[in-house]
């Protein structure tokens, strides 16, 4: 129990008396043939107490203590003698010629006033280091070590990451502390900053992994925790350590404290990752749910266990929750490299003198602000930096309508880094030199991290938009998202419309006349549970789209909709009275032909029958709902009956062609 007595004690005489026997107990767990042990016993000094009482102790708590008639002396008595005990355990083979506080080492720390015993893995610490930067570097090492342990089947990483909650608040307190010298400070609780100096803050920031145990921990449990951590420490120092010696590791840490992204890149380049990076495009006709598929896949990459259970809104909500790891952008023709990667941009700041005189100036006089320039880092570059700094997480950029932008102009040299084998840690990593590196960066070369994924969507019917070129097509996986009529249901009305069959009929005809890329997606009819909704969708969404598809040859649109003059129900007005050729010109068509007239091959200015849809109504809708439903019902059959005299059908369309 000598070790536990030492760790629990808040008395300097007791600590000094237990030092030898406690270290001997540790020697039984860590033989000196393999391990070395360093012990740092840090006691409060009067200067420590004065600084804590005057500067660190929070004002609200101090007021409560003084309100109870207590002063700095009472506060010191409550603190006790021991600030912290810090015992480092290191492998002799790794640290023969270097300080024992470098690299991967076990740490056993006591915080008696917090009632905590800390067991963890720590790295390098120097007095000059900034604790926030040091904590970020420690978290980077945790991610690297954790990934290696899991991938090699060694189990999860010991403990957890360290954070500012630990060195500034009460994240390491096994039990909240609510009183000082028997004076209650409730509802406040004591933070570590109320009882610690800056030195302890920096030492805590050097923890790569930490686990806080209560003072009441049993000796057997403490020994088991130390042995468990020793196994991981030995493995990490020998296997994950990606450098040939401590000189390189020290250089890495020096770089990380100035440029965390560059350090992360260097680590990953040494580690040889086999991560498969996703670079994918979902393509298909409009309305098939390509964007939903992209967002759903992005969420699964970030949180593999997530399941929206068929509720698309849940996927979008979850994606929006991951604002740091997921980004969404829509490409358009004006986007370029300078927008999404890097550029130099002007900034005009307000000039106080000019602002005061601005009211006296004419309206056409330009204001005089101070012109300066800044480096603009676009969305893609920001996401690259985040992914490099946090290799243990997945990051995704969803690019909607990717073929609406000039992808080569937007990505520029980043195109070469999209391949998974060209990423950080892969077989053939490619670094791209930044045009405008940060002033404080030691390395301007940018590597694409393997944990950054690109998922795009592309509308296959947009033939007027440049498609992805062959170089980019090779780098993307193309996943087709076809229409899925099976997702649609019948309407709930008496004369029910079979939405699935309606979609099948329309798409079969479009595919025959054009191609499969111009089919319409099931999204056009999703949520149509009444006939009225189906009529509205067809009139306001589907038919306008068909007009675009068959612009200049609207007779083909009539074929898709099954409209002929022999039908009793048609979507469009065909051969309206007074519009025949003879009535319009007063001569027979044959006579007009002799004068050089050539019949139109397509009807012009087709007008929807108001019985199917009348946009002039107060609430747009059909003048005759029964008629409109019959128009839809004729499309719910896979095939239409062909008249015995098929030539009559041809005549009907010729007549329609002559109408104006």
């Amino acid at each position: 129990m000598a070790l536990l007595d030492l760790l629990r004690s808040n008395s300097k005489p007791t600590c000094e008396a237990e030092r030898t026997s406690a270290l001997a107990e540790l020697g039984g767990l860590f033989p000196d043939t393999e391990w070395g042990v360093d012990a740092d016993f840090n006691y409060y000094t009067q200067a420590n107490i004065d600084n804590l009482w005057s500067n660190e102790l929070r004002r609200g708590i101090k007021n409560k203590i003084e309100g109870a008639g207590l002063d700095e002396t009472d506060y010191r008595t409550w603190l006790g003698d021991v600030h912290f005990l810090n015992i480092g355990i290191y492998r002799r083979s790794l640290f023969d010629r270097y300080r024992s506080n470098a690299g991967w080492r076990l740490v056993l720390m006591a915080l008696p006033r917090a009632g905590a015993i800390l067991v963890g893995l720590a790295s390098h610490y120097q007095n000059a280091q900034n604790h926030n930067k040091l904590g970020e570097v420690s978290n980077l090492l945790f991610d690297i070590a954790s990934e290696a342990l899991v991938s090699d089947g060694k189990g999860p990483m010991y403990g957890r990451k360290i954070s500012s909650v630990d060195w500034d608040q009460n994240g390491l307190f096994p039990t909240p502390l609510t009183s000082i010298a028997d004076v209650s400070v409730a509802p406040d609780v004591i933070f570590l900053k109320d009882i610690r100096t800056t030195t302890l803050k920096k030492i805590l920031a050097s923890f790569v992994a930490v686990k806080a145990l209560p003072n009441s921990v049993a000796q057997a449990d403490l020994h088991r925790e130390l042995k468990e951590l020793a196994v991981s420490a030995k493995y990490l120092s020998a296997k994950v350590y990606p450098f040939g010696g401590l000189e390189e590791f020290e250089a890495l840490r020096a770089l990380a404290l100035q440029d965390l992204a560059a350090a992360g890149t260097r680590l990953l380049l040494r580690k040889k990752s086999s991560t498969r990076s996703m670079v994918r495009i979902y393509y298909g006709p409009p309305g098939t749910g390509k964007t939903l598929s992209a967002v759903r896949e992005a969420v699964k990459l970030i949180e593999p266990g997530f399941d929206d259970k068929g509720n698309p809104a849940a996927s979008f909500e979850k994606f929006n929750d991951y604002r740091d790891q997921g980004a969404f952008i829509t490409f358009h023709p004006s986007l370029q490299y300078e927008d999404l990667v890097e550029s130099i941009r002007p900034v005009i700041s307000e000039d106080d003198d000019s602002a005061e005189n601005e009211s006296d100036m004419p309206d056409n006089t330009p204001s005089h602000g101070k012109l300066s320039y800044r480096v603009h880092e676009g969305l893609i570059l920001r996401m690259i930096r985040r992914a490099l700094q946090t290799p243990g997480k997945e990051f995704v950029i969803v690019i909607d309508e990717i073929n609406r932008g000039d992808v080569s102009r937007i990505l520029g040299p980043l195109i070469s880094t999209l391949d998974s084998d060209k990423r950080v840690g892969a077989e053939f990593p490619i670094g791209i030199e930044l045009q405008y590196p940060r002033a404080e960066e030691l390395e301007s070369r940018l590597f694409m991290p393997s944990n950054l994924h690109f998922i795009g969507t592309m509308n296959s019917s947009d033939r007027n938009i440049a498609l992805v070129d062959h170089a980019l097509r090779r780098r993307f996986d193309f996943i087709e998202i076809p229409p899925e009529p099976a997702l649609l249901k019948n309407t709930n009305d008496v004369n029910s419309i079979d939405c699935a069959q309606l979609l099948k009929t329309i798409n079969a005809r479009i595919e025959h006349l054009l191609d499969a890329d111009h089919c319409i997606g099931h999204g056009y009819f999703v949520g149509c549970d009444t006939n009225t909704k189906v009529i509205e969708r067809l009139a306001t969404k589907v038919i306008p789209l068909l007009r675009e598809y068959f612009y200049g040859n609207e007779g083909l649109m009539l074929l898709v909709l099954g409209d002929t003059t022999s039908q009793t129900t048609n979507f469009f007005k065909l051969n309206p009275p007074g519009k025949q050729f003879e009535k319009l010109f007063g001569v027979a068509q044959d006579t007009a032909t002799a004068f050089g007239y050539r019949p139109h091959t397509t009807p012009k200015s087709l007008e929807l029958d108001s019985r199917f849809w009348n946009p002039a109504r107060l609430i747009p809708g059909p003048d005759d709902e029964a008629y409109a439903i019959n128009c839809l019902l004729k499309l719910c059959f896979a095939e239409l009956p062909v008249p015995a005299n098929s030539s009559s059908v041809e005549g009907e369309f010729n007549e329609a062609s002559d109408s104006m």
Side-chain angles (χ1 to χ4, degrees), residues 346-359:
V347 178
I348 299 179
S349 59
E350 291 293 337
D351 187 331
D352 293 339
D353 293 335
S354 63
E356 291 176 1
N357 300 325
E358 189 172 346
S359 59

Side-chain angles (χ1 to χ4, degrees), residues 155-217:
M157 180 69 171
Y158 182 89
R160 61 169 176 81
K161 293 180 180 180
I162 199 78
S163 73
S164 60
V165 174
D166 297 323
W167 61 69
D168 278 337
Q169 299 183 26
N170 63 338
L172 297 174
F173 285 54
T175 303
L177 199 59
T178 59
S179 63
I180 292 180
D182 296 327
V183 175
S184 174
V185 297
D188 294 324
V189 294
I190 308 301
F191 285 172
L192 192 59
K193 69 177 298 181
D194 297 319
I195 61 174
R196 61 104 183 105
T197 67
T198 304
T199 300
L200 178 58
K201 177 192 296 188
K202 292 183 177 181
I203 293 177
L204 289 175
S206 73
F207 274 79
V208 174
V210 66
K211 184 181 289 188
L213 307 176
N215 273 348
S216 59
V217 64

Side-chain angles (χ1 to χ4, degrees), residues 158-451:
Y158 182 89
R160 61 169 176 81
K161 293 180 180 180
I162 199 78
S163 73
S164 60
V165 174
D166 297 323
W167 61 69
D168 278 337
Q169 299 183 26
N170 63 338
L172 297 174
F173 285 54
T175 303
L177 199 59
T178 59
S179 63
I180 292 180
D182 296 327
V183 175
S184 174
V185 297
D188 294 324
V189 294
I190 308 301
F191 285 172
L192 192 59
K193 69 177 298 181
D194 297 319
I195 61 174
R196 61 104 183 105
T197 67
T198 304
T199 300
L200 178 58
K201 177 192 296 188
K202 292 183 177 181
I203 293 177
L204 289 175
S206 73
F207 274 79
V208 174
V210 66
K211 184 181 289 188
L213 307 176
N215 273 348
S216 59
V217 64
Q219 183 184 45
D221 292 334
L222 177 61
H223 286 187
R224 186 182 67 254
E225 295 284 349
L226 290 171
K227 290 178 180 178
E228 177 185 344
L229 184 56
V231 174
S232 295
K234 287 179 64 174
Y235 172 81
L236 291 171
S237 62
K239 302 295 183 182
V240 174
Y241 197 72
F243 302 100
L246 284 176
E247 300 98 328
E248 295 182 11
F249 180 72
E250 291 299 310
L252 167 78
R253 293 190 57 78
L255 173 62
L257 287 167
Q258 299 180 60
D259 188 343
L260 190 63
T265 300
R266 188 175 295 181
L267 271 170
L268 290 173
L269 282 171
R270 293 295 189 103
K271 195 169 65 69
K272 294 297 181 186
S273 170
S274 59
T275 302
R276 171 68 177 174
S277 304
M278 180 179 291
V279 182
R280 173 179 295 179
I281 288 179
Y282 290 104
Y283 74 98
T288 54
K290 299 179 291 296
T291 302
L292 170 60
S293 298
V295 170
R296 181 176 285 158
E297 187 62 35
V299 173
K300 287 182 179 179
L301 285 169
I302 298 173
E303 186 179 328
F306 178 74
D307 182 8
D308 64 11
K309 298 179 180 179
N311 179 16
S315 290
F316 279 86
E317 182 178 354
K318 180 64 69 171
F319 180 81
N320 290 328
D321 289 340
Y322 287 106
R323 295 181 181 179
D324 290 336
Q325 293 175 252
F328 188 99
I329 186 170
T330 302
F331 274 10
H332 53 82
S334 65
L335 276 180
Q336 52 191 348
Y337 178 86
E338 289 76 10
D339 297 314
L340 294 186
V341 184
E342 58 173 343
S343 63
I344 295 290
R345 294 194 173 182
V347 178
I348 299 179
S349 59
E350 291 293 337
D351 187 331
D352 293 339
D353 293 335
S354 63
E356 291 176 1
N357 300 325
E358 189 172 346
S359 59
D360 300 329
M361 296 180 181
D363 292 340
N364 60 351
T365 303
S367 60
H368 298 282
K370 183 177 181 182
L371 178 64
S372 60
Y373 296 88
R374 66 177 177 86
V375 175
H376 168 73
E377 292 191 346
L379 171 66
I380 294 179
L381 183 53
R382 295 198 302 271
M383 291 296 287
I384 289 174
R385 292 195 187 279
R386 292 175 192 171
L388 287 171
Q389 292 171 0
T390 317
K393 295 181 179 180
E394 302 298 319
F395 296 78
V396 188
I397 299 177
V398 176
I399 306 172
D400 205 26
E401 306 289 356
I402 189 171
N403 58 319
R404 289 184 177 270
D406 186 340
V407 183
S408 299
R409 185 176 68 175
I410 294 172
L411 295 182
L414 295 182
I415 292 174
S416 301
T417 67
L418 291 179
D419 290 329
S420 58
D421 61 347
K422 305 299 191 300
R423 303 290 188 100
V424 169
E427 292 83 358
F428 314 107
I430 293 178
I432 302 299
E433 292 292 337
L434 292 177
Q435 298 180 45
Y436 311 107
R438 292 175 176 174
E440 70 273 12
E441 284 183 342
L442 300 184
E443 296 184 348
S444 62
R445 182 170 295 178
L446 180 73
F447 288 87
M448 184 70 74
S450 58
N451 58 328

